[in-house]
Amino acid sequence: LASPRMLHGEAVKIVLLGNRSGAGHTHEDKGSFILEYAGQTFAMDPGTCDYSRPFSMLYKHCQRHNVLVPAGSRVRPAAENPCMQTISPDGEGDAQRLRASIEAGKAYPDYYESWTRELQSDSPEELVITDCYRLKEGCGCGRVEFLWNTVLPVRQEGDAVLIEGERAAVRVEVPEGCRCELRRLELFGGGIQNQIAFVREGTAGQIRTRAVLQA
């Protein structure tokens, strides 16, 4: 699902990723979103690289995408891959607003009892992402992490994280009940993937993440 809009004369593009049942050669990115503004990518997809490099496997992991990841288990929590569920985003919008939702938890049959993601944007300058989730008993995870990835510079300012582009910025507020961690992940070729992680303890709840686009 894709939404192109304009803000202060600059393009705002949002993409929400789903899945076709049984699709192979895919990443663990169901429910992930991409945000482009003013010619730069503020919420990124890591893409891939030469398949002879170990990074090509790392880039597939849900921990490299903008998703809600189960955390706290001894082994890496992973989405089903290939995913045997059809996961289709549902939504509507126009030049001003966007509403979209997706049942992304279906990609994690071993971890989520349910995980629904909703994107709400009443104007191009604001994006609210609401994740409602419940982890499965016995999955080994006692918390979740909302991940937002970018190669742009990031810095924490009080109860928000500022992502700074050349002509614009995005201010992401730390959701209520979460702690913020800023991580630097290596990319193939020597680059850095800046990861914003909002960590919430507990096996069920709601995370409401608000982002404001600034000229």
Side-chain angles (χ1 to χ4, degrees):
L1 181 148
S3 167
R5 294 173 295 171
M6 299 297 294
L7 176 64
H8 306 307
E10 300 280 6
V12 176
K13 302 177 183 178
I14 296 174
V15 175
L16 181 60
L17 302 178
N19 184 71
R20 178 181 294 176
S21 175
H25 207 67
T26 61
H27 290 193
E28 300 172 13
D29 58 1
K30 287 64 178 170
S32 186
F33 64 93
I34 300 167
L35 171 62
E36 298 177 357
Y37 176 40
Q40 291 186 287
T41 303
F42 284 84
M44 64 177 279
D45 183 282
T48 189
C49 64
D50 190 296
Y51 291 158
S52 66
R53 306 292 182 173
F55 283 96
S56 67
M57 297 303 296
L58 287 175
Y59 289 169
K60 294 182 178 182
H61 293 174
C62 53
Q63 288 79 7
R64 287 279 184 152
H65 292 83
N66 304 317
V67 295
L68 188 73
V69 176
S73 63
R74 292 184 178 180
V75 298
R76 181 185 75 86
E80 184 180 48
N81 194 14
C83 177
M84 304 310 294
Q85 298 285 333
T86 293
I87 305 174
S88 300
D90 177 65
E92 60 181 3
D94 52 32
Q96 181 67 14
R97 65 185 186 89
L98 165 67
R99 182 205 63 80
S101 62
I102 187 168
E103 297 287 342
K106 294 192 292 184
Y108 296 78
D110 295 332
Y111 292 92
Y112 279 119
E113 199 71 52
S114 63
W115 165 34
T116 301
R117 166 162 283 181
E118 180 176 295
L119 274 60
Q120 185 76 35
S121 179
D122 294 328
S123 68
E125 66 184 353
E126 180 186 67
L127 172 63
V128 177
I129 303 168
T130 303
D131 292 301
C132 297
Y133 68 93
R134 180 176 295 277
L135 293 171
K136 283 191 170 181
E137 292 186 15
C139 72
C141 298
R143 63 178 184 270
V144 294
E145 297 182 352
F146 173 101
L147 303 181
W148 183 309
N149 298 279
T150 182
V151 295
L152 297 175
V154 303
R155 57 187 171 92
Q156 188 165 0
E157 291 187 337
D159 60 353
V161 177
L162 191 67
I163 307 171
E164 298 178 290
E166 295 177 2
R167 303 196 307 270
V170 173
R171 184 177 185 271
V172 187
E173 299 173 358
V174 180
E176 183 179 356
C178 296
R179 70 175 185 270
C180 178
E181 297 181 4
L182 300 183
R183 303 163 180 169
R184 290 169 58 85
L185 308 178
E186 187 180 356
L187 291 171
F188 175 66
I192 293 295
Q193 178 175 338
N194 288 311
Q195 183 174 89
I196 304 165
F198 297 139
V199 183
R200 188 177 190 275
E201 301 293 335
T203 59
Q206 175 179 288
I207 298 176
R208 182 180 183 274
T209 307
R210 179 174 179 262
V212 178
L213 283 63
Q214 305 172 342

